[in-house]
Amino acid sequence: MIQQICGIQQNTQTFIKKTTQSTDVDFQKVLTQNLEKLETDEVDESIYSDIANKYDIRNATFEEVKEIAQGLYGAGAITGLDLAILTFDYDRATRDIKQAANGLTSPNFTMYETNADTFGHRDWIAEFEARAAKDRQYGNFIGNANKNKIISILQLLER
C-alpha cells in the first residue's frame, strides 16, 4: 500500500513538473511574441500633431478626451488600459456614488481633482497630475505609474 502511494506521489510530481515546464515554455513563447510585436509595431507619429491641431488638451471637455483617446487607440499609439484610464467617466462615477450614499455626501462631492469651466473644459494634464499625486499619496504606486504614463502621452498633444 505504501509503495502504491509513493508511486502515485511520484507520478503526480512528474506530471506537475511536465505541466509546469510546458506552461512556462508556452508563457515564454507568448511573452516573446508580444514583445516582438511591440518592437515592430510602428506608430505614425503624425497622429499626435493631427490631434493637437484639432484639440487643446489643456482646455478640453471629457467628450473631446474620449475622441482623442479613441483616435490614439485606433492609431495604435496607446493600449487598451490607457484607453480605459483616459475614458473612465468620473461624472458618472460621482453620480453613482452620490446615489448609493443616499444623501450622505457633500453636494460639492466630485471625483475630479481639478475644476472645469462652465462649459466643461478642463486642463487634462493638470487633472492627471493631480490624480497621480493622489495615487502616490495613498500608496497606489501602480495607479501612479499608469497616470504618469497618461501624462506623458497627453504632453505629446500639447500645442
Side-chain angles (χ1 to χ4, degrees):
M1 177 91 149
I2 292 177
Q3 290 174 334
Q4 287 176 328
I5 293 172
C6 289
I8 292 170
Q9 187 177 13
Q10 273 184 327
N11 288 341
T12 304
Q13 288 173 342
T14 302
F15 174 76
I16 290 171
K17 185 176 180 181
K18 285 181 182 177
T19 304
T20 302
Q21 288 172 342
S22 175
T23 303
D24 287 346
V25 168
D26 290 343
F27 176 74
Q28 285 299 328
K29 189 186 330 179
V30 168
L31 181 61
T32 302
Q33 288 170 346
N34 285 339
L35 288 175
E36 287 172 358
K37 185 176 182 333
L38 284 174
E39 290 170 0
T40 59
D41 280 356
E42 292 186 24
V43 175
D44 183 357
E45 298 295 322
S46 68
I47 187 69
Y48 298 107
S49 59
D50 292 346
I51 290 174
N53 287 332
K54 187 174 180 183
Y55 301 98
D56 179 1
I57 200 63
R58 293 276 188 182
N59 189 36
T61 65
F62 178 63
E63 291 302 316
E64 290 171 327
V65 169
K66 290 192 307 188
E67 292 170 14
I68 291 167
Q70 286 293 337
L72 291 171
Y73 182 73
I78 63 172
T79 66
L81 176 61
D82 300 331
L83 176 68
I85 292 169
L86 279 164
T87 61
F88 182 82
D89 191 341
Y90 274 47
D91 284 324
R92 183 174 177 185
T94 298
R95 283 191 309 273
D96 290 349
I97 290 170
K98 284 182 175 182
Q99 183 179 10
N102 201 19
L104 297 176
T105 61
S106 161
N108 298 328
F109 170 76
T110 181
M111 291 187 59
Y112 284 109
E113 298 299 319
T114 61
N115 294 320
D117 68 14
T118 55
F119 301 106
H121 295 96
R122 183 180 312 274
D123 179 341
W124 289 95
I125 293 175
E127 175 66 26
F128 277 96
E129 287 172 341
R131 291 180 191 181
K134 191 173 194 177
D135 283 341
R136 187 176 50 254
Q137 176 186 356
Y138 290 120
N140 179 3
F141 299 115
I142 293 172
N144 176 265
N146 287 332
K147 304 300 186 314
N148 280 315
K149 181 181 179 194
I150 297 298
I151 293 164
S152 297
I153 292 164
L154 294 180
Q155 287 172 337
L156 295 172
L157 301 171
E158 275 191 282
R159 291 182 176 177

